[in-house]
Amino acid sequence: MSKLDIIIPIFNEGKQIIKLLDQFNLKLQTEITIYLCYDNDDDNIFQNLDLLKNLKFEIKLIKNPNKGPCTAVIEGLKKSNANCKIVFPADDFINIDLIDKMYNKHLNDDADIVVASRFIEGGSMKGCPLLKSILVRLASGTLYFFSSIPVRDASNGFRLFSQKLLNNVKLESKLGFAYSLELLVKCNRLKFKIVELPAQWEERSEGESRFKIFKWLREYLRWYFYGLKTYWLKIDQPINLSKGE
């Protein structure tokens, strides 16, 4: 069993994912296993399997039982065996060095979530469409100031989760990257430890973004108000977190 599992949702990422894993091979010090979570049996990852043979870490291909990044990630989290796991974007080449730092932060601080934060000193978000930028900054800022969420970036899907946390909650999200906000607000309600490290974010230059603002908004709002309710109604550790009580 590896020390850290990295969950990567993919959708016809082509040789870009090969380049990313080559960078992992060169840069990462932590012992890892990679879980590539795909939707369709004709995904072009299967045309590039020969290029994955000479890497120093194990790669597992996980079929999404449904469609979309949310259920792909959740299936990867279920199949993962490590005591902590990072969900990492397939198109992120600028935060690879952060993986070792997040793992060490988890160990040293006994953190159940390590947030890759765009909105603290040292972090950045560049090239983001205006509406998306407004929504994510507004949601993250209001949760930070008007709830007990202790970090400034509530919506980034790139973060580390402990198996301890995953053992204590049932993921309900179905759309987008809402799993990440759901785990954050449930972790906070359990009073498990959450920390953050600065991260960089840039709008992808290759391929098409899979972020669908209006399609996913209702799912995000569900967990946004869950986070507010935890603070304002003074709710701690409900009997059944899986029902959003």
Side-chain angles (χ1 to χ4, degrees):
M1 184 172 70
S2 64
K3 294 180 178 179
L4 171 66
D5 289 343
I6 301 179
I7 315 296
I8 306 177
I10 59 173
F11 187 80
N12 290 325
E13 301 295 339
K15 293 187 177 180
Q16 175 170 275
I17 194 66
I18 308 300
K19 294 177 184 177
L20 180 69
L21 297 181
D22 282 341
Q23 290 297 304
F24 283 4
N25 204 51
L26 291 172
K27 295 181 177 181
L28 297 186
Q29 302 300 314
T30 306
E31 181 183 337
I32 62 172
T33 298
I34 301 292
Y35 288 72
L36 298 179
C37 305
Y38 65 95
D39 280 3
N40 303 315
D41 292 329
D42 61 352
D43 192 281
N44 60 22
I45 188 62
F46 294 102
Q47 302 169 20
N48 295 284
L49 293 181
D50 287 345
L51 301 176
L52 301 176
K53 292 181 177 179
N54 297 319
L55 301 173
K56 63 184 179 183
F57 42 78
E58 183 180 5
I59 295 174
K60 297 184 179 182
L61 293 168
I62 304 297
K63 176 70 179 291
N64 183 0
N66 295 293
K67 301 293 181 183
C70 192
T71 51
V73 167
I74 290 174
E75 187 69 10
L77 292 172
K78 289 178 181 177
K79 296 291 176 64
S80 165
N81 295 314
N83 287 329
C84 66
K85 42 225 70 184
I86 287 176
V87 180
F88 195 87
D91 58 343
D92 188 345
F93 287 84
I94 57 178
N95 288 300
I96 295 171
D97 292 339
L98 192 56
I99 291 173
D100 286 329
K101 295 176 182 177
M102 293 172 78
Y103 177 71
N104 290 330
K105 191 73 171 174
H106 157 74
L107 292 180
N108 296 334
D109 289 16
D110 194 27
D112 293 292
I113 292 183
V114 181
V115 172
S117 180
R118 299 161 291 185
F119 306 137
I120 61 173
E121 184 176 355
S124 66
M125 187 166 73
K126 299 178 181 178
C128 186
L130 180 60
L131 180 58
K132 178 179 175 181
S133 178
I134 291 171
L135 288 175
V136 297
R137 290 178 185 275
L138 182 63
S140 295
T142 52
L143 278 176
Y144 178 75
F145 287 108
F146 300 116
S147 81
S148 52
I149 303 292
V151 293
R152 290 181 179 268
D153 192 341
S155 61
N156 197 352
F158 166 33
R159 56 187 53 153
L160 177 148
F161 306 104
S162 73
Q163 187 60 48
K164 171 189 167 186
L165 171 63
L166 295 170
N167 287 341
N168 278 275
V169 300
K170 180 180 178 180
L171 277 162
E172 303 171 73
S173 296
K174 303 294 184 184
L175 297 173
F177 302 93
Y179 69 86
S180 190
L181 180 56
E182 178 186 354
L183 283 170
L184 182 70
V185 296
K186 288 184 174 180
C187 185
N188 184 60
R189 184 172 288 195
L190 286 166
K191 295 189 179 297
F192 288 179
K193 191 166 186 179
I194 305 169
V195 299
E196 60 187 340
L197 290 172
Q200 317 305 313
W201 186 94
E202 294 181 6
E203 182 71 13
R204 66 185 296 164
S205 58
E206 295 184 23
E208 182 181 352
S209 173
R210 299 175 71 192
F211 191 85
K212 313 295 182 185
I213 294 175
F214 296 107
K215 183 178 179 180
W216 299 344
L217 185 59
R218 183 176 179 181
E219 191 92 330
Y220 283 92
L221 287 174
R222 175 187 183 186
W223 301 116
Y224 173 83
F225 288 115
Y226 183 104
L228 292 176
K229 184 169 69 173
T230 296
Y231 177 72
W232 290 102
L233 299 183
K234 308 300 179 186
I235 301 173
D236 295 317
Q237 300 189 32
I239 294 173
N240 191 346
L241 278 171
S242 69
K243 292 183 179 179
E245 296 176 353

